[in-house]
Amino acid sequence: MKKALVVYFSVYGTAKKTAEEIATQMGADLMEIEPVVSYDSNQDHYNALAKLAKQEHDSNARPAIKNEIPIADYDTIFVGYPMWWYTFPMILYTFFDKYDFSGKIIVPFNTHMGSGDGGTYRTIKELEPNATVLVGLPLEMSDAERGNAKAVSRWLEKLGLK
Ligand SMILES: Cc1cc2nc3c(=O)[nH]c(=O)nc-3n(C[C@H](O)[C@H](O)[C@H](O)COP(=O)(O)O)c2cc1C
């Protein structure tokens, strides 16, 4: 089987940690979605990040991505992100606008503080109608920080990927 790719966007590191766990368990490659203008990862400055994220959301912004991600080289692509304002960060729209996922398998996962996936797995299906979107894994931030090996393992087994 061809290697899978795990792509993630993360500011506080929780989605990153989950992405690393998935990549380890899958023997997959790992890549970060890097914004051109980086976000402040200091959690003491949460209010400023919340304000910026809300502005981006309300203006339907498409924050630019700095790096190229070789989507075409993979058949199965895990895509992970935090919940921001009840949906995914707007840079995920940039990502899905930019790459063609026709014929690919997308496996979403996300971290959150109560919103679950907030309907984002359905949004991905709408944005990528020619891809197969598998059942995703929403992880509460505190659980994801404590360690998520078991939850990831159970999920991958259920999906028949492990
Ligand atoms: C700007 C912002 C908006 C957020 N909005 C939500 C939300 O609507 N629902 C929710 O459950 N969590 C929300 N959160 C909490 C994040 O989902 C949580 O901090 C996230 O899991 C952190 O992921 P990361 O460590 O990978 O950056 C928000 C956090 C930030 C910074």
Side-chain angles (χ1 to χ4, degrees), residues 19-157:
E20 288 169 346
E21 182 61 37
I22 296 168
T24 301
Q25 293 194 27
M26 288 293 297
D29 291 334
L30 182 65
M31 284 198 78
E32 179 174 5
I33 298 172
E34 296 173 29
V36 168
V37 181
S38 57
Y39 294 90
D40 188 345
S41 62
N42 183 339
Q43 293 196 42
D44 292 342
H45 305 160
Y46 169 82
N47 287 345
L49 178 57
K51 197 172 158 201
L52 172 61
K54 182 86 170 67
Q55 275 166 1
E56 288 184 354
H57 178 268
D58 292 352
S59 63
N60 202 19
R62 293 289 182 276
I65 299 174
K66 189 162 70 179
N67 55 331
E68 281 300 320
I69 298 170
I71 296 298
D73 296 350
Y74 298 86
D75 297 328
T76 302
I77 300 128
F78 291 78
V79 182
Y81 47 84
M83 284 305 287
W84 278 10
W85 293 106
Y86 311 105
T87 182
F88 44 45
M90 298 309 286
I91 199 166
L92 267 296
Y93 280 99
T94 314
F95 175 71
F96 286 115
D97 284 353
K98 186 167 175 192
Y99 294 107
D100 179 15
F101 285 82
S102 298
K104 309 273 181 202
I105 296 170
I106 300 175
V107 199
F109 62 97
N110 74 286
T111 56
H112 65 91
M113 283 174 74
S115 294
D117 82 288
T120 53
Y121 303 161
R122 204 177 48 234
T123 304
I124 295 173
K125 277 184 196 167
E126 287 163 10
L127 294 173
E128 301 298 339
N130 299 319
T132 303
V133 182
L134 301 188
V135 176
L137 178 69
L139 282 171
E140 183 97 46
M141 187 177 178
S142 52
D143 292 341
E145 277 170 339
R146 265 198 300 274
N148 39 36
K150 264 201 186 139
V152 166
S153 170
R154 270 198 305 267
W155 169 60
L156 293 175
E157 277 166 18

